[in-house]
Amino acid sequence: MMMELIKIEGGRPLSGTVKIDSAKNSTVALIPASILAESPVTLENIPSIVDVERLGEMIEQLGGTYRYDGDDDEDFIIDPTNLQNIPLLEGPVTQLRASYYFLGALLAKFKEVKIGMPGGCYLGPRPIDLHLKGFEALGATIEQEGGTIYMRAERLKGAKIYLDFPSVGATINIMIAASKAEGTTVIENAAKEPEIVDLSNLLNNMGAKIRGAGTDEIRIQGVDRLRGTRHAIIPDRIEAGTYIALAAAAAEEVKIDNIIPTHLDALISKLQEMGVDIEINTDSVTVRGGKALKAVDFKTSIYPGLATDLQQPLVTLVTQSDGVGMVEDTIYSDRFRNCYELNKMGANIRVQGNSAIIQGATPLRGARVMATDLRAGASLVIAALIAEGVTEIGNTYHIDRGYSNIEEKLTNLGAKIWREKE
Ligand code: UD1
């Protein structure tokens, strides 16, 4: 099989503006949630990432349709009118983790669902026990056999659900399922990420009654019917944070535009602590490079803390800072595979359990490396932009799951990046 590589010739200072796309992690919840409507749902500014295509294919497998519209195909229209309850066992369902949102959506719509276990990035164990406990509390019975989950419910009834951990996925899945349950569901210790507020806005515009999204207690009063609507997806704070870290490493002056800076407070404070020159405006930030950076320690945590998805991009920046930085990922235990690849490029990182100790600053040089998961890919792209010589990054499909038009965006900033098959 031909392998595709992203190649980057490093060492060019970047300048200009990069416009951030809509949030992947919102989009992958909004598409499954849309099937609860009885008429078409339009999602505005759909990001052009592979996960969207896969979720579209799953809508088609279920007998629904989707199409792109608008001058730049920026609208994504889902028509769930003829949707049927067809088991999703093969193909796209296994290729992304977010396909598990069809568990909540199909359970709410048909009271019965059969689905293959979701795929996605390996970041250490990623159980879905909290999702399943939530569905059980709403009245579902669950059978698991091999890689398949089968759930059904006579009726879905609102319940009080306390999450042992404020899981993003479990909060979203329970919100989706409970929006059509009888009576009121209360999710306690709910996740507070901005994507949850975005989903709540979509569902409420479809006719749901959800209050409290963005706090740790969400109340969902079930309704019988939901209708189609138009919804503008929030900007991708992780894509934004990646380009901010990238600019801090490689920019002369780069404006990261179309973002909600408050979603990035924890990252911005950390970068300021490192000595990054960053100017914050209403819906953009501007990063100016060329300053000496000092190493910092950081820990990932739930929102509004520093996002685990930004941990890997930040590690690359710490390799360019003076001193020793200690990074702990409290959300995922095995999200450090990029460190071994960075070491091939000249970094000095020691991984110990769920922590990494980084000795900086070390010059980086081009090497052949693998994007072991999505954000690891981002971490390597940043490294490649500042390395001497050409870096070849394999497993590009991981990067394409979450970063839309990455070559175009980086080329516009003055980077030398291209793809080759071999
Ligand atoms: C989502 C994001 C991912 C991000 C993560 C944390 C999507 C598609 N993905 O993933 O990019 O890194 O939030 O912000 O939105 N857990 C359990 N049992 C469960 C569910 C989760 O033990 O039933 C644990 C997980 O193993 C992990 C922690 O809870 O250690 C956080 O997981 P969760 O918030 O659910 O992340 P995801 O929704 O999978």
Side-chain angles (χ1 to χ4, degrees), residues 204-215:
N204 283 343
N205 288 335
M206 285 163 58
K209 293 192 171 141
I210 304 174
R211 298 289 172 266
T215 75

Side-chain angles (χ1 to χ4, degrees), residues 37 86 97 142 156 169 199 210 233 238 250 312 331 348 380 413:
I86 298 167
R97 195 167 163 74
I142 303 171
L156 287 176
L199 173 69
I210 304 174
I233 310 166
I238 308 301
Q312 290 159 305
I331 311 289
N348 182 354
L380 296 173
L413 294 177

Side-chain angles (χ1 to χ4, degrees), residues 194-214:
E195 292 73 24
I196 286 161
V197 179
D198 203 23
L199 173 69
S200 163
N201 288 338
L202 170 76
L203 286 169
N204 283 343
N205 288 335
M206 285 163 58
K209 293 192 171 141
I210 304 174
R211 298 289 172 266

Side-chain angles (χ1 to χ4, degrees), residues 57-58 61 87-95 115-116:
E57 285 166 36
M58 290 166 73
Q61 286 181 332
L88 292 170
L89 299 176
E90 282 166 11
V93 69
T94 57
Q95 290 167 347
I115 226 178

Side-chain angles (χ1 to χ4, degrees), residues 79-101:
D79 188 348
T81 322
N82 297 318
L83 213 81
Q84 292 157 24
N85 195 13
I86 298 167
L88 292 170
L89 299 176
E90 282 166 11
V93 69
T94 57
Q95 290 167 347
L96 74 160
R97 195 167 163 74
S99 45
Y100 61 26
Y101 293 136

Side-chain angles (χ1 to χ4, degrees), residues 220-298:
I220 305 138
Q221 200 184 320
V223 297
D224 276 347
R225 309 185 68 166
L226 294 165
R227 56 178 179 271
T229 186
R230 276 188 87 87
H231 177 82
I233 310 166
I234 58 169
D236 195 317
R237 64 196 168 94
I238 308 301
E239 190 197 17
T242 302
Y243 280 94
I244 293 172
L246 182 153
E252 227 158 57
E253 181 169 323
V254 169
K255 179 177 176 186
I256 295 94
D257 201 8
N258 189 39
I259 65 171
I260 301 175
T262 49
H263 289 170
L264 289 150
D265 277 349
L267 173 75
I268 291 170
S269 313
K270 229 349 123 184
L271 293 177
Q272 285 170 334
E273 193 185 325
M274 294 176 82
V276 175
D277 180 350
I278 181 164
E279 180 191 311
I280 303 156
N281 297 303
T282 319
D283 53 9
S284 70
V285 302
T286 299
V287 177
R288 293 181 192 90
K291 282 192 143 191
L293 303 180
K294 58 174 190 293
V296 289
D297 297 338
F298 67 90

Side-chain angles (χ1 to χ4, degrees), residues 24-25 28 97-98 100-101 125-131 165-169 193 308-309 331-332 335:
K24 163 184 169 285
N25 285 352
V28 299
R97 195 167 163 74
Y100 61 26
Y101 293 136
R126 297 180 82 176
I128 61 164
D129 55 308
L130 299 171
H131 305 231
F165 182 86
S167 150
V168 174
E193 271 68 3
T308 164
D309 296 73
I331 311 289
Y332 290 112
R335 208 169 197 174

